[in-house]
PDB file of all heavy atoms in Angstrom:
ATOM      1  N   ALA A 852      53.001 -56.356  50.250  1.00  0.00           N
ATOM      2  CA  ALA A 852      52.087 -55.850  51.298  1.00  0.00           C
ATOM      3  C   ALA A 852      52.848 -54.946  52.281  1.00  0.00           C
ATOM      4  O   ALA A 852      53.968 -55.222  52.618  1.00  0.00           O
ATOM      5  CB  ALA A 852      51.471 -57.019  51.913  1.00  0.00           C
ATOM      6  N   ARG A 853      52.175 -53.944  52.762  1.00  0.00           N
ATOM      7  CA  ARG A 853      52.723 -53.126  53.834  1.00  0.00           C
ATOM      8  C   ARG A 853      51.673 -52.999  54.914  1.00  0.00           C
ATOM      9  O   ARG A 853      50.474 -53.147  54.681  1.00  0.00           O
ATOM     10  CB  ARG A 853      53.155 -51.733  53.341  1.00  0.00           C
ATOM     11  CG  ARG A 853      52.077 -50.768  52.978  1.00  0.00           C
ATOM     12  CD  ARG A 853      52.618 -49.445  52.541  1.00  0.00           C
ATOM     13  NE  ARG A 853      51.581 -48.474  52.183  1.00  0.00           N
ATOM     14  CZ  ARG A 853      50.940 -47.661  52.989  1.00  0.00           C
ATOM     15  NH1 ARG A 853      51.225 -47.743  54.304  1.00  0.00           N
ATOM     16  NH2 ARG A 853      50.024 -46.871  52.642  1.00  0.00           N
ATOM     17  N   ASP A 854      52.208 -52.701  56.107  1.00  0.00           N
ATOM     18  CA  ASP A 854      51.210 -52.463  57.241  1.00  0.00           C
ATOM     19  C   ASP A 854      50.370 -51.292  57.025  1.00  0.00           C
ATOM     20  O   ASP A 854      50.793 -50.242  56.621  1.00  0.00           O
ATOM     21  CB  ASP A 854      51.992 -52.351  58.545  1.00  0.00           C
ATOM     22  CG  ASP A 854      52.711 -53.610  58.972  1.00  0.00           C
ATOM     23  OD1 ASP A 854      52.203 -54.676  58.548  1.00  0.00           O
ATOM     24  OD2 ASP A 854      53.719 -53.589  59.628  1.00  0.00           O
ATOM     25  N   ILE A 855      49.060 -51.439  57.130  1.00  0.00           N
ATOM     26  CA  ILE A 855      48.115 -50.311  56.969  1.00  0.00           C
ATOM     27  C   ILE A 855      47.440 -50.044  58.181  1.00  0.00           C
ATOM     28  O   ILE A 855      46.908 -51.001  58.882  1.00  0.00           O
ATOM     29  CB  ILE A 855      47.097 -50.740  55.868  1.00  0.00           C
ATOM     30  CG1 ILE A 855      47.727 -50.795  54.465  1.00  0.00           C
ATOM     31  CG2 ILE A 855      45.959 -49.737  55.872  1.00  0.00           C
ATOM     32  CD1 ILE A 855      48.024 -49.460  53.844  1.00  0.00           C
ATOM     33  N   ASP A 856      47.436 -48.775  58.666  1.00  0.00           N
ATOM     34  CA  ASP A 856      46.669 -48.418  59.841  1.00  0.00           C
ATOM     35  C   ASP A 856      45.261 -47.907  59.400  1.00  0.00           C
ATOM     36  O   ASP A 856      45.208 -46.798  58.766  1.00  0.00           O
ATOM     37  CB  ASP A 856      47.385 -47.299  60.555  1.00  0.00           C
ATOM     38  CG  ASP A 856      46.596 -46.723  61.733  1.00  0.00           C
ATOM     39  OD1 ASP A 856      45.555 -47.315  62.075  1.00  0.00           O
ATOM     40  OD2 ASP A 856      47.048 -45.828  62.340  1.00  0.00           O
ATOM     41  N   PRO A 857      44.202 -48.689  59.450  1.00  0.00           N
ATOM     42  CA  PRO A 857      42.907 -48.353  58.957  1.00  0.00           C
ATOM     43  C   PRO A 857      42.359 -47.025  59.529  1.00  0.00           C
ATOM     44  O   PRO A 857      41.455 -46.406  58.903  1.00  0.00           O
ATOM     45  CB  PRO A 857      41.993 -49.517  59.236  1.00  0.00           C
ATOM     46  CG  PRO A 857      42.683 -50.135  60.451  1.00  0.00           C
ATOM     47  CD  PRO A 857      44.154 -49.940  60.234  1.00  0.00           C
ATOM     48  N   SER A 858      42.874 -46.576  60.648  1.00  0.00           N
ATOM     49  CA  SER A 858      42.375 -45.347  61.248  1.00  0.00           C
ATOM     50  C   SER A 858      43.155 -44.074  60.703  1.00  0.00           C
ATOM     51  O   SER A 858      42.750 -42.979  61.127  1.00  0.00           O
ATOM     52  CB  SER A 858      42.497 -45.395  62.742  1.00  0.00           C
ATOM     53  OG  SER A 858      43.828 -45.500  63.218  1.00  0.00           O
ATOM     54  N   ALA A 859      44.187 -44.235  59.928  1.00  0.00           N
ATOM     55  CA  ALA A 859      45.024 -43.138  59.563  1.00  0.00           C
ATOM     56  C   ALA A 859      44.291 -42.218  58.589  1.00  0.00           C
ATOM     57  O   ALA A 859      44.492 -40.972  58.616  1.00  0.00           O
ATOM     58  CB  ALA A 859      46.339 -43.697  58.912  1.00  0.00           C
ATOM     59  N   SER A 860      43.482 -42.678  57.672  1.00  0.00           N
ATOM     60  CA  SER A 860      42.871 -41.914  56.662  1.00  0.00           C
ATOM     61  C   SER A 860      41.776 -42.698  55.964  1.00  0.00           C
ATOM     62  O   SER A 860      41.816 -43.935  56.061  1.00  0.00           O
ATOM     63  CB  SER A 860      43.900 -41.420  55.604  1.00  0.00           C
ATOM     64  OG  SER A 860      44.294 -42.538  54.734  1.00  0.00           O
ATOM     65  N   PRO A 861      40.884 -42.039  55.231  1.00  0.00           N
ATOM     66  CA  PRO A 861      39.856 -42.814  54.452  1.00  0.00           C
ATOM     67  C   PRO A 861      40.468 -43.828  53.471  1.00  0.00           C
ATOM     68  O   PRO A 861      40.061 -44.905  53.295  1.00  0.00           O
ATOM     69  CB  PRO A 861      39.032 -41.722  53.771  1.00  0.00           C
ATOM     70  CG  PRO A 861      39.178 -40.554  54.650  1.00  0.00           C
ATOM     71  CD  PRO A 861      40.612 -40.605  55.200  1.00  0.00           C
ATOM     72  N   LEU A 862      41.585 -43.360  52.800  1.00  0.00           N
ATOM     73  CA  LEU A 862      42.303 -44.220  51.854  1.00  0.00           C
ATOM     74  C   LEU A 862      42.851 -45.425  52.549  1.00  0.00           C
ATOM     75  O   LEU A 862      42.777 -46.582  52.036  1.00  0.00           O
ATOM     76  CB  LEU A 862      43.361 -43.460  51.135  1.00  0.00           C
ATOM     77  CG  LEU A 862      44.178 -44.347  50.056  1.00  0.00           C
ATOM     78  CD1 LEU A 862      43.258 -45.029  49.111  1.00  0.00           C
ATOM     79  CD2 LEU A 862      45.218 -43.483  49.395  1.00  0.00           C
ATOM     80  N   ASP A 863      43.436 -45.226  53.748  1.00  0.00           N
ATOM     81  CA  ASP A 863      44.105 -46.408  54.442  1.00  0.00           C
ATOM     82  C   ASP A 863      42.999 -47.374  54.982  1.00  0.00           C
ATOM     83  O   ASP A 863      43.177 -48.612  54.904  1.00  0.00           O
ATOM     84  CB  ASP A 863      44.911 -45.903  55.627  1.00  0.00           C
ATOM     85  CG  ASP A 863      46.233 -45.314  55.178  1.00  0.00           C
ATOM     86  OD1 ASP A 863      46.816 -45.852  54.268  1.00  0.00           O
ATOM     87  OD2 ASP A 863      46.638 -44.331  55.848  1.00  0.00           O
ATOM     88  N   TYR A 864      41.807 -46.797  55.298  1.00  0.00           N
ATOM     89  CA  TYR A 864      40.724 -47.711  55.745  1.00  0.00           C
ATOM     90  C   TYR A 864      40.263 -48.564  54.531  1.00  0.00           C
ATOM     91  O   TYR A 864      40.007 -49.713  54.670  1.00  0.00           O
ATOM     92  CB  TYR A 864      39.559 -46.936  56.273  1.00  0.00           C
ATOM     93  CG  TYR A 864      38.438 -47.805  56.820  1.00  0.00           C
ATOM     94  CD1 TYR A 864      38.656 -48.762  57.773  1.00  0.00           C
ATOM     95  CD2 TYR A 864      37.185 -47.635  56.241  1.00  0.00           C
ATOM     96  CE1 TYR A 864      37.572 -49.499  58.206  1.00  0.00           C
ATOM     97  CE2 TYR A 864      36.044 -48.398  56.653  1.00  0.00           C
ATOM     98  CZ  TYR A 864      36.321 -49.392  57.678  1.00  0.00           C
ATOM     99  OH  TYR A 864      35.241 -50.156  58.081  1.00  0.00           O
ATOM    100  N   TYR A 865      40.088 -47.851  53.371  1.00  0.00           N
ATOM    101  CA  TYR A 865      39.679 -48.607  52.178  1.00  0.00           C
ATOM    102  C   TYR A 865      40.679 -49.647  51.755  1.00  0.00           C
ATOM    103  O   TYR A 865      40.291 -50.831  51.441  1.00  0.00           O
ATOM    104  CB  TYR A 865      39.591 -47.543  51.002  1.00  0.00           C
ATOM    105  CG  TYR A 865      38.983 -48.018  49.705  1.00  0.00           C
ATOM    106  CD1 TYR A 865      37.720 -47.678  49.361  1.00  0.00           C
ATOM    107  CD2 TYR A 865      39.685 -48.941  48.864  1.00  0.00           C
ATOM    108  CE1 TYR A 865      37.185 -48.122  48.081  1.00  0.00           C
ATOM    109  CE2 TYR A 865      39.182 -49.353  47.760  1.00  0.00           C
ATOM    110  CZ  TYR A 865      37.831 -49.008  47.307  1.00  0.00           C
ATOM    111  OH  TYR A 865      37.332 -49.427  46.184  1.00  0.00           O
ATOM    112  N   SER A 866      41.968 -49.315  51.872  1.00  0.00           N
ATOM    113  CA  SER A 866      43.045 -50.294  51.498  1.00  0.00           C
ATOM    114  C   SER A 866      43.043 -51.487  52.459  1.00  0.00           C
ATOM    115  O   SER A 866      43.049 -52.682  51.959  1.00  0.00           O
ATOM    116  CB  SER A 866      44.355 -49.637  51.621  1.00  0.00           C
ATOM    117  OG  SER A 866      44.455 -48.475  50.698  1.00  0.00           O
ATOM    118  N   TYR A 867      42.837 -51.297  53.703  1.00  0.00           N
ATOM    119  CA  TYR A 867      42.736 -52.305  54.751  1.00  0.00           C
ATOM    120  C   TYR A 867      41.599 -53.200  54.440  1.00  0.00           C
ATOM    121  O   TYR A 867      41.735 -54.489  54.437  1.00  0.00           O
ATOM    122  CB  TYR A 867      42.702 -51.681  56.072  1.00  0.00           C
ATOM    123  CG  TYR A 867      42.575 -52.626  57.254  1.00  0.00           C
ATOM    124  CD1 TYR A 867      43.712 -53.191  57.854  1.00  0.00           C
ATOM    125  CD2 TYR A 867      41.285 -53.075  57.712  1.00  0.00           C
ATOM    126  CE1 TYR A 867      43.596 -54.054  58.924  1.00  0.00           C
ATOM    127  CE2 TYR A 867      41.250 -53.952  58.752  1.00  0.00           C
ATOM    128  CZ  TYR A 867      42.331 -54.480  59.377  1.00  0.00           C
ATOM    129  OH  TYR A 867      42.242 -55.389  60.398  1.00  0.00           O
ATOM    130  N   GLU A 868      40.401 -52.565  54.203  1.00  0.00           N
ATOM    131  CA  GLU A 868      39.212 -53.414  53.942  1.00  0.00           C
ATOM    132  C   GLU A 868      39.294 -54.190  52.672  1.00  0.00           C
ATOM    133  O   GLU A 868      38.825 -55.326  52.599  1.00  0.00           O
ATOM    134  CB  GLU A 868      37.959 -52.453  53.883  1.00  0.00           C
ATOM    135  CG  GLU A 868      37.609 -51.910  55.230  1.00  0.00           C
ATOM    136  CD  GLU A 868      37.010 -53.025  56.086  1.00  0.00           C
ATOM    137  OE1 GLU A 868      35.795 -53.376  55.921  1.00  0.00           O
ATOM    138  OE2 GLU A 868      37.639 -53.636  56.973  1.00  0.00           O
ATOM    139  N   LEU A 869      39.917 -53.634  51.614  1.00  0.00           N
ATOM    140  CA  LEU A 869      40.017 -54.422  50.427  1.00  0.00           C
ATOM    141  C   LEU A 869      40.924 -55.615  50.581  1.00  0.00           C
ATOM    142  O   LEU A 869      40.458 -56.726  50.109  1.00  0.00           O
ATOM    143  CB  LEU A 869      40.634 -53.466  49.326  1.00  0.00           C
ATOM    144  CG  LEU A 869      40.904 -54.098  47.934  1.00  0.00           C
ATOM    145  CD1 LEU A 869      39.625 -54.608  47.311  1.00  0.00           C
ATOM    146  CD2 LEU A 869      41.596 -53.117  46.924  1.00  0.00           C
ATOM    147  N   ARG A 870      42.039 -55.508  51.198  1.00  0.00           N
ATOM    148  CA  ARG A 870      42.820 -56.699  51.482  1.00  0.00           C
ATOM    149  C   ARG A 870      42.083 -57.708  52.364  1.00  0.00           C
ATOM    150  O   ARG A 870      42.125 -58.826  52.145  1.00  0.00           O
ATOM    151  CB  ARG A 870      44.174 -56.294  52.165  1.00  0.00           C
ATOM    152  CG  ARG A 870      45.023 -57.540  52.546  1.00  0.00           C
ATOM    153  CD  ARG A 870      46.356 -57.129  53.098  1.00  0.00           C
ATOM    154  NE  ARG A 870      47.127 -56.539  52.078  1.00  0.00           N
ATOM    155  CZ  ARG A 870      47.836 -55.395  52.175  1.00  0.00           C
ATOM    156  NH1 ARG A 870      47.788 -54.680  53.328  1.00  0.00           N
ATOM    157  NH2 ARG A 870      48.568 -54.963  51.175  1.00  0.00           N
ATOM    158  N   ARG A 871      41.489 -57.154  53.510  1.00  0.00           N
ATOM    159  CA  ARG A 871      40.797 -58.074  54.382  1.00  0.00           C
ATOM    160  C   ARG A 871      39.730 -58.876  53.730  1.00  0.00           C
ATOM    161  O   ARG A 871      39.629 -60.075  53.854  1.00  0.00           O
ATOM    162  CB  ARG A 871      40.222 -57.279  55.490  1.00  0.00           C
ATOM    163  CG  ARG A 871      39.489 -58.107  56.615  1.00  0.00           C
ATOM    164  CD  ARG A 871      38.957 -57.248  57.726  1.00  0.00           C
ATOM    165  NE  ARG A 871      37.772 -56.415  57.288  1.00  0.00           N
ATOM    166  CZ  ARG A 871      36.561 -56.868  57.266  1.00  0.00           C
ATOM    167  NH1 ARG A 871      36.275 -58.044  57.597  1.00  0.00           N
ATOM    168  NH2 ARG A 871      35.562 -56.070  56.893  1.00  0.00           N
ATOM    169  N   LEU A 872      38.862 -58.176  52.983  1.00  0.00           N
ATOM    170  CA  LEU A 872      37.725 -58.900  52.368  1.00  0.00           C
ATOM    171  C   LEU A 872      38.151 -59.698  51.098  1.00  0.00           C
ATOM    172  O   LEU A 872      37.482 -60.753  50.875  1.00  0.00           O
ATOM    173  CB  LEU A 872      36.671 -57.832  51.980  1.00  0.00           C
ATOM    174  CG  LEU A 872      36.009 -57.161  53.148  1.00  0.00           C
ATOM    175  CD1 LEU A 872      35.106 -56.003  52.723  1.00  0.00           C
ATOM    176  CD2 LEU A 872      35.141 -58.216  53.975  1.00  0.00           C
ATOM    177  N   ARG A 873      39.129 -59.340  50.432  1.00  0.00           N
ATOM    178  CA  ARG A 873      39.752 -60.229  49.371  1.00  0.00           C
ATOM    179  C   ARG A 873      40.247 -61.480  49.887  1.00  0.00           C
ATOM    180  O   ARG A 873      39.921 -62.555  49.383  1.00  0.00           O
ATOM    181  CB  ARG A 873      40.798 -59.421  48.591  1.00  0.00           C
ATOM    182  CG  ARG A 873      41.498 -60.352  47.596  1.00  0.00           C
ATOM    183  CD  ARG A 873      42.651 -59.593  46.872  1.00  0.00           C
ATOM    184  NE  ARG A 873      43.749 -59.129  47.777  1.00  0.00           N
ATOM    185  CZ  ARG A 873      44.619 -59.977  48.354  1.00  0.00           C
ATOM    186  NH1 ARG A 873      44.584 -61.301  48.091  1.00  0.00           N
ATOM    187  NH2 ARG A 873      45.547 -59.514  49.113  1.00  0.00           N
ATOM    188  N   GLU A 874      41.004 -61.391  50.984  1.00  0.00           N
ATOM    189  CA  GLU A 874      41.576 -62.592  51.621  1.00  0.00           C
ATOM    190  C   GLU A 874      40.559 -63.519  52.251  1.00  0.00           C
ATOM    191  O   GLU A 874      40.578 -64.748  52.139  1.00  0.00           O
ATOM    192  CB  GLU A 874      42.616 -62.265  52.628  1.00  0.00           C
ATOM    193  CG  GLU A 874      43.897 -61.598  52.058  1.00  0.00           C
ATOM    194  CD  GLU A 874      44.910 -61.072  53.095  1.00  0.00           C
ATOM    195  OE1 GLU A 874      44.460 -61.040  54.308  1.00  0.00           O
ATOM    196  OE2 GLU A 874      46.024 -60.835  52.727  1.00  0.00           O
ATOM    197  N   GLU A 875      39.484 -62.894  52.774  1.00  0.00           N
ATOM    198  CA  GLU A 875      38.290 -63.680  53.328  1.00  0.00           C
ATOM    199  C   GLU A 875      37.632 -64.469  52.246  1.00  0.00           C
ATOM    200  O   GLU A 875      37.155 -65.548  52.380  1.00  0.00           O
ATOM    201  CB  GLU A 875      37.369 -62.746  54.033  1.00  0.00           C
ATOM    202  CG  GLU A 875      37.736 -62.326  55.433  1.00  0.00           C
ATOM    203  CD  GLU A 875      36.595 -61.606  56.083  1.00  0.00           C
ATOM    204  OE1 GLU A 875      35.499 -61.584  55.573  1.00  0.00           O
ATOM    205  OE2 GLU A 875      36.802 -61.087  57.238  1.00  0.00           O
ATOM    206  N   ALA A 876      37.644 -63.889  50.988  1.00  0.00           N
ATOM    207  CA  ALA A 876      37.024 -64.503  49.845  1.00  0.00           C
ATOM    208  C   ALA A 876      37.936 -65.611  49.204  1.00  0.00           C
ATOM    209  O   ALA A 876      37.503 -66.294  48.343  1.00  0.00           O
ATOM    210  CB  ALA A 876      36.583 -63.496  48.787  1.00  0.00           C
ATOM    211  N   GLY A 877      39.190 -65.671  49.785  1.00  0.00           N
ATOM    212  CA  GLY A 877      40.096 -66.712  49.301  1.00  0.00           C
ATOM    213  C   GLY A 877      40.666 -66.393  47.928  1.00  0.00           C
ATOM    214  O   GLY A 877      41.064 -67.382  47.197  1.00  0.00           O
ATOM    215  N   LEU A 878      40.779 -65.137  47.604  1.00  0.00           N
ATOM    216  CA  LEU A 878      41.291 -64.638  46.234  1.00  0.00           C
ATOM    217  C   LEU A 878      42.627 -64.075  46.391  1.00  0.00           C
ATOM    218  O   LEU A 878      42.918 -63.232  47.288  1.00  0.00           O
ATOM    219  CB  LEU A 878      40.354 -63.644  45.632  1.00  0.00           C
ATOM    220  CG  LEU A 878      38.957 -64.299  45.313  1.00  0.00           C
ATOM    221  CD1 LEU A 878      37.999 -63.065  44.799  1.00  0.00           C
ATOM    222  CD2 LEU A 878      38.949 -65.365  44.182  1.00  0.00           C
ATOM    223  N   LYS A 879      43.488 -64.336  45.404  1.00  0.00           N
ATOM    224  CA  LYS A 879      44.772 -63.666  45.358  1.00  0.00           C
ATOM    225  C   LYS A 879      44.507 -62.366  44.530  1.00  0.00           C
ATOM    226  O   LYS A 879      43.399 -62.163  43.903  1.00  0.00           O
ATOM    227  CB  LYS A 879      45.784 -64.528  44.615  1.00  0.00           C
ATOM    228  CG  LYS A 879      46.208 -65.781  45.391  1.00  0.00           C
ATOM    229  CD  LYS A 879      47.328 -66.486  44.711  1.00  0.00           C
ATOM    230  CE  LYS A 879      47.741 -67.724  45.475  1.00  0.00           C
ATOM    231  NZ  LYS A 879      48.204 -67.426  46.832  1.00  0.00           N
ATOM    232  N   GLN A 880      45.431 -61.418  44.612  1.00  0.00           N
ATOM    233  CA  GLN A 880      45.272 -60.093  43.913  1.00  0.00           C
ATOM    234  C   GLN A 880      45.041 -60.356  42.420  1.00  0.00           C
ATOM    235  O   GLN A 880      44.134 -59.686  41.853  1.00  0.00           O
ATOM    236  CB  GLN A 880      46.477 -59.262  44.110  1.00  0.00           C
ATOM    237  CG  GLN A 880      46.686 -58.769  45.528  1.00  0.00           C
ATOM    238  CD  GLN A 880      48.011 -57.985  45.758  1.00  0.00           C
ATOM    239  OE1 GLN A 880      48.865 -58.016  44.875  1.00  0.00           O
ATOM    240  NE2 GLN A 880      48.146 -57.479  46.950  1.00  0.00           N
ATOM    241  N   ALA A 881      45.721 -61.231  41.814  1.00  0.00           N
ATOM    242  CA  ALA A 881      45.667 -61.493  40.330  1.00  0.00           C
ATOM    243  C   ALA A 881      44.317 -62.093  40.072  1.00  0.00           C
ATOM    244  O   ALA A 881      43.641 -61.798  38.977  1.00  0.00           O
ATOM    245  CB  ALA A 881      46.714 -62.342  39.849  1.00  0.00           C
ATOM    246  N   GLN A 882      43.803 -62.971  40.914  1.00  0.00           N
ATOM    247  CA  GLN A 882      42.441 -63.526  40.736  1.00  0.00           C
ATOM    248  C   GLN A 882      41.364 -62.504  40.839  1.00  0.00           C
ATOM    249  O   GLN A 882      40.434 -62.537  39.910  1.00  0.00           O
ATOM    250  CB  GLN A 882      42.211 -64.676  41.748  1.00  0.00           C
ATOM    251  CG  GLN A 882      43.105 -65.849  41.516  1.00  0.00           C
ATOM    252  CD  GLN A 882      43.008 -66.856  42.673  1.00  0.00           C
ATOM    253  OE1 GLN A 882      42.895 -66.547  43.841  1.00  0.00           O
ATOM    254  NE2 GLN A 882      42.879 -68.239  42.307  1.00  0.00           N
ATOM    255  N   LEU A 883      41.372 -61.691  41.789  1.00  0.00           N
ATOM    256  CA  LEU A 883      40.378 -60.613  41.865  1.00  0.00           C
ATOM    257  C   LEU A 883      40.518 -59.693  40.669  1.00  0.00           C
ATOM    258  O   LEU A 883      39.448 -59.273  40.068  1.00  0.00           O
ATOM    259  CB  LEU A 883      40.531 -59.858  43.191  1.00  0.00           C
ATOM    260  CG  LEU A 883      39.557 -58.570  43.380  1.00  0.00           C
ATOM    261  CD1 LEU A 883      38.162 -59.075  43.270  1.00  0.00           C
ATOM    262  CD2 LEU A 883      39.865 -57.901  44.685  1.00  0.00           C
ATOM    263  N   GLY A 884      41.745 -59.383  40.311  1.00  0.00           N
ATOM    264  CA  GLY A 884      41.846 -58.430  39.133  1.00  0.00           C
ATOM    265  C   GLY A 884      41.282 -59.066  37.910  1.00  0.00           C
ATOM    266  O   GLY A 884      40.612 -58.317  37.073  1.00  0.00           O
ATOM    267  N   ALA A 885      41.363 -60.386  37.727  1.00  0.00           N
ATOM    268  CA  ALA A 885      40.886 -61.032  36.508  1.00  0.00           C
ATOM    269  C   ALA A 885      39.282 -60.929  36.542  1.00  0.00           C
ATOM    270  O   ALA A 885      38.631 -60.768  35.460  1.00  0.00           O
ATOM    271  CB  ALA A 885      41.346 -62.454  36.492  1.00  0.00           C
ATOM    272  N   ILE A 886      38.758 -61.054  37.695  1.00  0.00           N
ATOM    273  CA  ILE A 886      37.293 -60.995  37.842  1.00  0.00           C
ATOM    274  C   ILE A 886      36.747 -59.648  37.496  1.00  0.00           C
ATOM    275  O   ILE A 886      35.714 -59.431  36.891  1.00  0.00           O
ATOM    276  CB  ILE A 886      36.883 -61.384  39.310  1.00  0.00           C
ATOM    277  CG1 ILE A 886      37.190 -62.906  39.569  1.00  0.00           C
ATOM    278  CG2 ILE A 886      35.334 -61.193  39.499  1.00  0.00           C
ATOM    279  CD1 ILE A 886      36.957 -63.359  40.923  1.00  0.00           C
ATOM    280  N   ILE A 887      37.427 -58.533  37.913  1.00  0.00           N
ATOM    281  CA  ILE A 887      36.944 -57.239  37.675  1.00  0.00           C
ATOM    282  C   ILE A 887      37.663 -56.481  36.549  1.00  0.00           C
ATOM    283  O   ILE A 887      37.550 -55.355  36.476  1.00  0.00           O
ATOM    284  CB  ILE A 887      37.003 -56.365  39.046  1.00  0.00           C
ATOM    285  CG1 ILE A 887      38.471 -56.129  39.416  1.00  0.00           C
ATOM    286  CG2 ILE A 887      36.238 -57.044  40.143  1.00  0.00           C
ATOM    287  CD1 ILE A 887      38.588 -55.222  40.579  1.00  0.00           C
ATOM    288  N   PHE A 888      38.385 -57.312  35.725  1.00  0.00           N
ATOM    289  CA  PHE A 888      39.025 -56.703  34.563  1.00  0.00           C
ATOM    290  C   PHE A 888      40.087 -55.696  34.852  1.00  0.00           C
ATOM    291  O   PHE A 888      40.038 -54.569  34.208  1.00  0.00           O
ATOM    292  CB  PHE A 888      37.943 -56.216  33.591  1.00  0.00           C
ATOM    293  CG  PHE A 888      36.847 -57.228  33.286  1.00  0.00           C
ATOM    294  CD1 PHE A 888      35.581 -57.128  33.844  1.00  0.00           C
ATOM    295  CD2 PHE A 888      37.138 -58.297  32.425  1.00  0.00           C
ATOM    296  CE1 PHE A 888      34.583 -58.060  33.526  1.00  0.00           C
ATOM    297  CE2 PHE A 888      36.112 -59.323  32.146  1.00  0.00           C
ATOM    298  CZ  PHE A 888      34.917 -59.125  32.723  1.00  0.00           C
ATOM    299  N   CYS A 889      40.960 -55.919  35.683  1.00  0.00           N
ATOM    300  CA  CYS A 889      42.137 -55.093  35.914  1.00  0.00           C
ATOM    301  C   CYS A 889      43.231 -55.936  36.343  1.00  0.00           C
ATOM    302  O   CYS A 889      43.148 -57.175  36.433  1.00  0.00           O
ATOM    303  CB  CYS A 889      41.842 -54.029  36.987  1.00  0.00           C
ATOM    304  SG  CYS A 889      41.758 -54.622  38.648  1.00  0.00           S
ATOM    305  N   THR A 890      44.401 -55.358  36.473  1.00  0.00           N
ATOM    306  CA  THR A 890      45.662 -56.142  36.822  1.00  0.00           C
ATOM    307  C   THR A 890      45.674 -56.389  38.292  1.00  0.00           C
ATOM    308  O   THR A 890      45.177 -55.621  39.125  1.00  0.00           O
ATOM    309  CB  THR A 890      46.897 -55.353  36.326  1.00  0.00           C
ATOM    310  OG1 THR A 890      47.007 -54.182  37.025  1.00  0.00           O
ATOM    311  CG2 THR A 890      46.818 -55.158  34.880  1.00  0.00           C
ATOM    312  N   GLY A 891      46.404 -57.516  38.660  1.00  0.00           N
ATOM    313  CA  GLY A 891      46.614 -57.746  40.051  1.00  0.00           C
ATOM    314  C   GLY A 891      47.540 -56.696  40.682  1.00  0.00           C
ATOM    315  O   GLY A 891      47.444 -56.453  41.880  1.00  0.00           O
ATOM    316  N   SER A 892      48.434 -56.110  39.869  1.00  0.00           N
ATOM    317  CA  SER A 892      49.290 -55.030  40.343  1.00  0.00           C
ATOM    318  C   SER A 892      48.463 -53.851  40.807  1.00  0.00           C
ATOM    319  O   SER A 892      48.796 -53.158  41.838  1.00  0.00           O
ATOM    320  CB  SER A 892      50.351 -54.659  39.387  1.00  0.00           C
ATOM    321  OG  SER A 892      49.844 -54.157  38.203  1.00  0.00           O
ATOM    322  N   LEU A 893      47.406 -53.532  40.066  1.00  0.00           N
ATOM    323  CA  LEU A 893      46.555 -52.407  40.442  1.00  0.00           C
ATOM    324  C   LEU A 893      45.880 -52.713  41.833  1.00  0.00           C
ATOM    325  O   LEU A 893      45.817 -51.857  42.617  1.00  0.00           O
ATOM    326  CB  LEU A 893      45.448 -52.123  39.384  1.00  0.00           C
ATOM    327  CG  LEU A 893      44.403 -51.044  39.734  1.00  0.00           C
ATOM    328  CD1 LEU A 893      45.170 -49.672  39.970  1.00  0.00           C
ATOM    329  CD2 LEU A 893      43.390 -50.908  38.684  1.00  0.00           C
ATOM    330  N   ILE A 894      45.360 -53.946  41.985  1.00  0.00           N
ATOM    331  CA  ILE A 894      44.748 -54.322  43.286  1.00  0.00           C
ATOM    332  C   ILE A 894      45.855 -54.128  44.321  1.00  0.00           C
ATOM    333  O   ILE A 894      45.572 -53.523  45.357  1.00  0.00           O
ATOM    334  CB  ILE A 894      44.354 -55.838  43.229  1.00  0.00           C
ATOM    335  CG1 ILE A 894      43.335 -56.048  42.099  1.00  0.00           C
ATOM    336  CG2 ILE A 894      43.854 -56.220  44.624  1.00  0.00           C
ATOM    337  CD1 ILE A 894      41.977 -55.409  42.295  1.00  0.00           C
ATOM    338  N   GLY A 895      47.069 -54.533  44.096  1.00  0.00           N
ATOM    339  CA  GLY A 895      48.168 -54.355  45.090  1.00  0.00           C
ATOM    340  C   GLY A 895      48.437 -52.997  45.428  1.00  0.00           C
ATOM    341  O   GLY A 895      48.597 -52.622  46.644  1.00  0.00           O
ATOM    342  N   MET A 896      48.472 -52.128  44.367  1.00  0.00           N
ATOM    343  CA  MET A 896      48.788 -50.662  44.677  1.00  0.00           C
ATOM    344  C   MET A 896      47.664 -49.984  45.568  1.00  0.00           C
ATOM    345  O   MET A 896      47.952 -49.189  46.414  1.00  0.00           O
ATOM    346  CB  MET A 896      49.002 -49.947  43.383  1.00  0.00           C
ATOM    347  CG  MET A 896      50.351 -50.227  42.702  1.00  0.00           C
ATOM    348  SD  MET A 896      50.668 -49.196  41.268  1.00  0.00           S
ATOM    349  CE  MET A 896      49.546 -49.867  40.086  1.00  0.00           C
TER     350      MET A 896
END
């Protein structure tokens, strides 16, 4: 994980929101990846 400034760009805001809402759902990257049929590393990137 790296620090994301959600106001820096649309991509940074998207990245920030993805991590925030994934963590609120209690899911690790690999778990979310399994649900949506992609790798946890893609979620991380």
